Amino acid sequence: MYASGTESLIKQARDIREEELQKFYSRISRLLHNKDYGLETIDSLQRLYLIVSSTKYGRTLPQDVLEKLQSLLCSPSTSEQLQALSSAILRESLPFDVEGLSVDFQDGRTVSYVATVTLTQARKKEEVCTLLHRLLRCLEPRQPEGQVSRHLLPILSKAMSLLPEILTEDHINLVSKKLVDWLWYTNIQQGAFLYSGGFFTGPRNRQPAPVTEVDGEVAADFFTVLCVGQTYTEDQWMSMYAFSMIRKWLLCYNSDGSGNADADDRSEVDGSVVSIISTSSTASRLLLPKERLREKAFEYCHRLIEQSDRKALKKSDTELQKACMIEAVTVMDIICREDPSFVYRAFPYVKALYGRVRRDLAYSRVLLPIAQFYLNHSETAAVDSEAVFRELFSIVPSEQFQEPMLAFEFTQFCRANVTVLSESVALYRQSFPNLFKFLAWNSPALISEYVELLPSLLVPENAIEILHSLLDLPCLTAAIDIQLRSPLSPRSDKFFLDQSVKVSSSMEAFRHPSYRGMFLYILRTEAGTGDTIDRLNGLHEILSDVADCPRVVQCAQTVPVLLNIFFNIVAQFGNKKLINQLVLVLLERSGLLFNIKNYKTEVQRVFSSHFLVLCKLQPSLIVEWSKELLDFTGTTGNISSKENLYTHVVWAIGEYLSVSYDKRCTVERITLFFETLEAVLFEITQVRQSASPPRFSPKVITMLMSTLAKLASRSQDLIPRVSLFLSKMRSFACSAPVTSCYSEEDIEEILTRANELINLLKLPSVAQFVLAPSQQGTSPRWHRDTNTCLPLAMRALSEVLQKGNDLLPA
């Protein structure tokens, strides 16, 4: 969220009128033409950048302003602030011809600003190629290497992201050689700097000291990013820049599919022989450029892992060590994927690193690349990886769910390896309660990740438990929030001495022995301990004081999205037993939901639509769960609290309670459902002149009428009863309480539906044909759409049977 002042400035920039904008352009043009580069010009250019960047569409700059900004951008004498502003404005404006951007390629700073504009505004691949090839010439051995090299690598990295195929094989070999030089052949002395020698002496050069390790000892080996110095030489900067892009370079240009010309040359060489050759630094010079880069990068990463074991003197160096561990293991993994001969050399280092960090939660992020390494290479090296994944899935989520960066990286790891994890790592699915903690605490930031992960977690064996866990996700958010705050609250011994003491808050309940089991279940780390807890109402009651917590509300908003994903996946593999279980869960949990604003309504809406899908997949469930459905539909209170779901259940009964779907659908069973729904309709349509208006929508009334007519058409002894009932609907619809509550359209809909059904039931054989379910043309929208609520044949027959007189008595 922006601050209020910032939002105001952005709104002004977006709403600026064309006349004001043209005046502003003229002012900037005048300032630039007069070469007035003072504070007024800086302020105007900053405002111009805000204007061109605050809208989703680009703006066309006047030609004179565009030329002046290009001139400032390409001039080495321009101050860096003006160059940065010019570059930013040109990047945000509409595309222009970048061929006019000429630059001195020995001026690294200007090259970097011009290159960013070129990469953003270039409309042809050739324009980027021209720039990059000219820059690469600066790396050729015959060219003097200046600071332009330091500015080249970010440009090269950006170009690789846009157009990986932009470099030729010669360019790839050239850069590979330079990366080796920058990584390996670097001065280990600090850069020289000036200092004052005292009052009577002038400035003088201090002799450069060697760089040190993070623990203060003198670095005895080659320079790495974990070597510390007060100042750095140019080649040391290049070493750090080179390491920062080595991962991307290996992924783009060292794989077999990216122009790896040396792959065929080595195809006949045994892997063990190659490994022996690679261990010799002298022999490594005989390797092709890409192979030699792999060798030197591997040794560099090995050196970083060794350096990361030192005790850093500064906290910032400790964080740098963690970052280097992650990058080193990741680069090693890439090298081993491209050349399996490195696997046997890498595993001892990675295993030792895992042994150092596995028990320290501060290094949890380092476990992710280690797990990736084991996932990719444990089978090749015949190494057991179960302990690594148990640490990763059982401990990290339960202890580090509140770390947003770890949560994001953890879910990204799961997304990248979802197929392998679901097929080869049993702990992955078993640990879904733990994985849900990341979502519960960091939603909605992680919702897109879990939309992709949820299908991989679902199997028939855990589907019911996952459904309960999704519905209880806001409770999980509340529970872990209480868990985090609990140690900060004073403990009271009375809860442990007297369990009969009534708790007054969720915090007290968390420490009370009577509620301990519920919290332990909600905070469980693995699946398989049951579907859900028995005292959900009690849990919702004690958590009511945190129901309005923003984090809990945000989590509740993600549940309907995941429920839709859940039911769509279950519909693909669900068998009869699972679908029958899901229907019972829908009916049971529709009233057992955490009391959060709009949460029950949204969840019941999802339940309603997918209940029809489940019924369509297994129509016989209407017969098998007759008792439960009768209890649900016979309770008038369900209409008030679950109207949407109630309407869908009634529609499904009328649609699927038929002998054509289940031979067990006897006349007695149809009559039982008919009498239950008839009693409900009678109860909700009994209004007196002095009574309060009806509390139920017309949709419920018309749905009950239609379902009663469908059931009567299948047991024709019931036709007189439903016809008599329908004939009384006019008196209901025209009563004062109803007319004061319902609109004219609602009343007309009730009367029209009653009239259509009466006319249709006069011809029982026709009614049975029209109202019978069609297994080929069943559509879940018929009960909602006015135009297709019943087959068109019903309306046509109604018009034929209508003799001009109103058949409903007054």
Side-chain angles (χ1 to χ4, degrees):
M1 293 294 293
Y2 292 110
S4 57
T6 305
E7 288 184 349
S8 176
L9 289 174
I10 293 175
K11 188 175 186 305
Q12 292 178 25
R14 289 173 177 170
D15 298 341
I16 188 171
R17 292 180 297 178
E18 187 63 27
E19 313 86 70
E20 297 178 2
L21 186 59
Q22 293 303 323
K23 292 180 180 179
F24 186 58
Y25 285 150
S26 300
R27 176 186 172 189
I28 292 178
S29 177
R30 184 176 64 254
L31 290 172
L32 296 178
H33 181 75
N34 295 334
K35 298 184 178 181
D36 179 5
Y37 302 142
L39 294 177
E40 184 180 1
T41 302
I42 297 295
D43 179 68
S44 298
L45 291 178
Q46 289 174 339
R47 292 179 58 191
L48 178 59
Y49 172 67
L50 181 62
I51 291 172
V52 298
S53 64
S54 61
T55 57
K56 62 183 179 181
Y57 55 88
R59 295 183 184 269
T60 303
L61 297 177
Q63 188 62 31
D64 57 337
V65 175
L66 185 64
E67 292 175 356
K68 293 291 184 182
L69 290 175
Q70 292 179 9
S71 177
L72 286 175
L73 176 68
C74 298
S75 174
S77 61
T78 305
S79 67
E80 186 170 3
Q81 185 178 19
L82 280 174
Q83 275 188 326
L85 281 171
S86 301
S87 176
I89 294 169
L90 293 173
R91 290 198 307 268
E92 294 292 339
S93 63
L94 286 175
F96 57 89
D97 186 6
V98 297
E99 292 182 354
L101 297 177
S102 59
V103 61
D104 179 7
F105 280 81
Q106 296 305 315
D107 181 14
R109 187 190 74 186
T110 304
V111 166
S112 65
Y113 284 122
V114 172
T116 56
V117 175
T118 302
L119 293 175
T120 304
Q121 297 286 19
R123 288 168 286 184
K124 296 182 294 184
K125 178 181 176 180
E126 292 74 16
E127 295 173 342
V128 179
C129 289
T130 301
L131 170 71
L132 197 57
H133 292 169
R134 292 184 65 185
L135 285 171
L136 288 172
R137 280 200 293 270
C138 299
L139 299 181
E140 295 176 357
R142 63 180 179 273
Q143 298 291 335
E145 187 173 314
Q147 285 195 353
V148 68
S149 299
R150 196 196 302 182
H151 296 280
L152 167 62
L153 291 186
I155 301 168
L156 181 60
S157 179
K158 179 66 174 178
M160 288 161 48
S161 301
L162 297 175
L163 297 167
E165 72 282 2
I166 200 170
L167 298 185
T168 65
E169 189 68 23
D170 291 338
H171 290 143
I172 294 172
N173 289 332
L174 171 63
V175 177
S176 296
K177 292 177 182 178
K178 298 302 293 186
L179 288 173
V180 169
D181 292 341
W182 290 328
L183 285 175
W184 202 253
Y185 304 108
T186 306
N187 186 14
I188 61 172
Q189 299 293 319
Q190 297 187 39
F193 63 95
L194 296 177
Y195 82 109
S196 175
F199 183 81
F200 295 103
T201 60
R204 63 182 180 181
N205 285 326
R206 191 176 74 177
Q207 292 299 321
V211 294
T212 62
E213 303 285 358
V214 292
D215 59 359
E217 293 186 10
V218 175
D221 212 331
F222 60 89
F223 180 87
T224 70
V225 292
L226 281 179
C227 292
V228 181
Q230 294 183 344
T231 59
Y232 297 103
T233 61
E234 188 64 26
D235 60 341
Q236 289 169 352
W237 279 114
M238 289 308 302
S239 177
M240 291 185 278
Y241 276 49
F243 179 68
S244 69
M245 70 168 289
I246 194 69
R247 183 206 302 200
K248 181 180 289 187
W249 181 263
L250 291 174
L251 288 173
C252 282
Y253 299 114
N254 268 19
S255 62
D256 293 337
S258 299
N260 193 356
D262 56 300
D264 294 337
D265 298 334
R266 299 184 51 201
S267 60
E268 298 180 359
V269 181
D270 183 76
S272 60
V273 176
V274 173
S275 179
I276 295 173
I277 294 175
S278 298
T279 57
S280 171
S281 60
T282 303
S284 70
R285 295 180 180 274
L286 304 177
L287 298 174
L288 294 174
K290 297 180 201 176
E291 294 178 323
R292 188 158 183 263
L293 176 60
R294 280 198 290 262
E295 173 65 33
K296 293 305 180 183
F298 183 88
E299 294 182 19
Y300 189 99
C301 292
H302 175 210
R303 167 78 172 139
L304 285 179
I305 292 176
E306 289 181 337
Q307 287 179 294
S308 66
D309 194 28
R310 295 177 178 269
K311 180 68 173 178
L313 300 178
K314 298 180 181 178
K315 183 179 180 181
S316 58
D317 288 339
T318 302
E319 296 302 316
L320 179 60
Q321 282 180 309
K322 296 177 187 177
C324 288
M325 292 181 205
I326 295 171
E327 193 69 13
V329 176
T330 302
V331 172
M332 278 187 168
D333 178 43
I334 296 171
I335 293 172
C336 291
R337 276 185 283 161
E338 293 170 352
D339 186 351
S341 65
F342 283 93
V343 172
Y344 305 99
R345 296 169 56 190
F347 246 112
Y349 309 142
V350 177
K351 184 177 180 180
L353 178 61
Y354 169 68
R356 296 205 315 260
V357 304
R358 61 186 299 261
R359 294 300 181 187
D360 192 343
L361 292 175
Y363 291 87
S364 295
R365 291 178 61 194
V366 183
L367 287 176
L368 292 173
I370 293 175
Q372 184 71 65
F373 190 92
Y374 272 84
L375 197 65
N376 292 337
H377 309 294
S378 60
E379 185 175 350
T380 302
V383 176
D384 185 17
S385 59
E386 183 180 358
V388 177
F389 292 111
R390 181 161 295 280
E391 181 85 18
L392 186 68
F393 289 112
S394 299
I395 299 178
V396 173
S398 61
E399 300 291 341
Q400 297 286 290
F401 57 83
Q402 74 277 18
E403 297 293 334
M405 183 58 70
L406 175 63
F408 176 75
E409 292 179 353
F410 199 106
T411 52
Q412 289 294 311
F413 166 80
C414 293
R415 281 182 62 182
N417 303 281
V418 64
T419 302
V420 181
L421 289 174
S422 57
E423 294 177 355
S424 305
V425 182
L427 280 171
Y428 173 63
R429 287 197 177 104
Q430 190 177 349
S431 302
F432 78 81
N434 237 9
L435 297 179
F436 280 175
K437 292 177 183 177
F438 284 129
L439 176 64
W441 193 253
N442 299 281
S443 56
L446 297 180
I447 182 63
S448 60
E449 279 71 24
Y450 277 83
V451 165
E452 295 190 23
L453 290 180
L454 185 59
S456 66
L457 296 170
L458 268 171
V459 289
E461 292 75 22
N462 67 6
I464 298 298
E465 188 176 354
I466 285 183
L467 176 57
H468 282 294
S469 297
L470 290 175
L471 296 174
D472 295 332
L473 203 60
C475 297
L476 176 59
T477 305
I480 57 182
D481 176 65
I482 296 169
Q483 182 186 35
L484 288 177
R485 293 188 288 114
S486 181
L488 303 178
S489 303
R491 298 169 65 99
S492 177
D493 291 338
K494 69 179 181 180
F495 292 122
F496 299 95
L497 298 175
D498 186 3
Q499 298 187 16
S500 64
V501 175
K502 187 175 181 180
V503 298
S504 59
S505 67
S506 58
M507 189 67 67
E508 292 181 358
F510 183 76
R511 301 193 301 273
H512 198 287
S514 298
Y515 299 97
R516 182 174 179 80
M518 290 193 293
F519 281 101
L520 287 177
Y521 176 80
I522 289 293
L523 296 170
R524 69 193 186 281
T525 59
E526 291 187 4
T529 56
D531 293 338
T532 187
I533 56 181
D534 297 328
R535 297 184 294 163
L536 267 178
N537 278 329
L539 178 66
H540 295 161
E541 183 179 350
I542 63 175
L543 294 178
S544 59
D545 59 344
V546 293
D548 296 331
C549 174
R551 196 180 293 274
V552 175
V553 174
Q554 283 187 331
C555 177
Q557 292 170 352
T558 66
V559 173
V561 178
L562 295 174
L563 286 177
N564 277 311
I565 302 296
F566 171 88
F567 284 111
N568 289 336
I569 298 300
V570 169
Q572 297 175 14
F573 66 72
N575 52 33
K576 180 178 179 180
K577 179 181 178 181
L578 177 59
I579 290 176
N580 286 345
Q581 290 177 325
L582 286 175
V583 169
L584 285 184
V585 173
L586 294 189
L587 296 178
E588 175 191 7
R589 290 303 307 268
S590 61
L592 290 175
L593 297 171
F594 200 7
N595 189 21
I596 302 173
K597 183 179 180 181
N598 297 330
Y599 181 57
K600 289 185 177 181
T601 303
E602 291 300 313
V603 171
Q604 289 173 7
R605 179 181 57 80
V606 176
F607 279 5
S608 301
S609 60
H610 289 285
F611 177 82
L612 298 181
V613 176
L614 297 177
C615 289
K616 186 175 181 179
L617 292 173
Q618 293 293 333
S620 61
L621 64 84
I622 300 295
V623 174
E624 293 182 359
W625 302 118
S626 295
K627 182 180 182 301
E628 289 76 10
L629 291 173
L630 285 169
D631 291 342
F632 182 83
T633 55
T635 304
T636 311
N638 287 335
I639 306 178
S640 302
S641 59
K642 313 168 189 177
E643 181 180 310
N644 201 9
L645 178 60
Y646 186 91
T647 306
H648 285 67
V649 171
V650 170
W651 182 88
I653 291 172
E655 189 70 12
Y656 298 112
L657 188 63
S658 170
V659 71
S660 61
Y661 287 111
D662 196 314
K663 301 301 182 183
R664 296 171 295 175
C665 184
T666 61
V667 173
E668 291 76 13
R669 196 180 300 272
I670 292 175
T671 302
L672 185 58
F673 272 95
F674 179 91
E675 291 176 346
T676 301
L677 297 179
E678 182 187 39
V680 172
L681 183 58
F682 178 81
E683 182 178 350
I684 67 176
T685 56
Q686 289 302 301
V687 293
R688 300 179 179 84
Q689 297 297 327
S690 60
S692 59
R695 296 174 290 119
F696 310 105
S697 70
K699 181 174 70 172
V700 176
I701 297 173
T702 56
M703 183 55 59
L704 285 168
M705 291 192 302
S706 299
T707 300
L708 289 174
K710 289 181 181 181
L711 297 179
S713 69
R714 298 163 203 164
S715 179
Q716 296 185 5
D717 292 342
L718 301 173
I719 289 179
R721 289 174 60 177
V722 71
S723 297
L724 177 62
F725 198 106
L726 293 172
S727 66
K728 298 179 180 180
M729 293 305 297
R730 175 174 290 277
S731 60
F732 163 76
C734 296
S735 62
V738 174
T739 55
S740 65
C741 179
Y742 292 168
S743 65
E744 293 183 5
E745 292 78 8
D746 293 338
I747 295 174
E748 182 64 25
E749 182 182 355
I750 294 173
L751 294 176
T752 301
R753 179 64 56 85
N755 191 48
E756 290 174 350
L757 293 172
I758 290 174
N759 289 333
L760 188 60
L761 291 172
K762 286 182 177 181
L763 298 176
S765 59
V766 177
Q768 188 174 11
F769 166 75
V770 174
L771 297 175
S774 173
Q775 297 188 38
Q776 292 76 27
T778 303
S779 172
R781 289 188 55 83
W782 281 358
H783 70 290
R784 293 199 302 262
D785 195 325
T786 304
N787 296 322
T788 59
C789 58
L790 290 174
L792 294 178
M794 174 181 168
R795 188 155 298 178
L797 287 170
S798 179
E799 293 177 358
V800 171
L801 293 172
Q802 182 71 29
K803 297 181 180 180
N805 297 322
D806 192 353
L807 299 179
L808 295 178

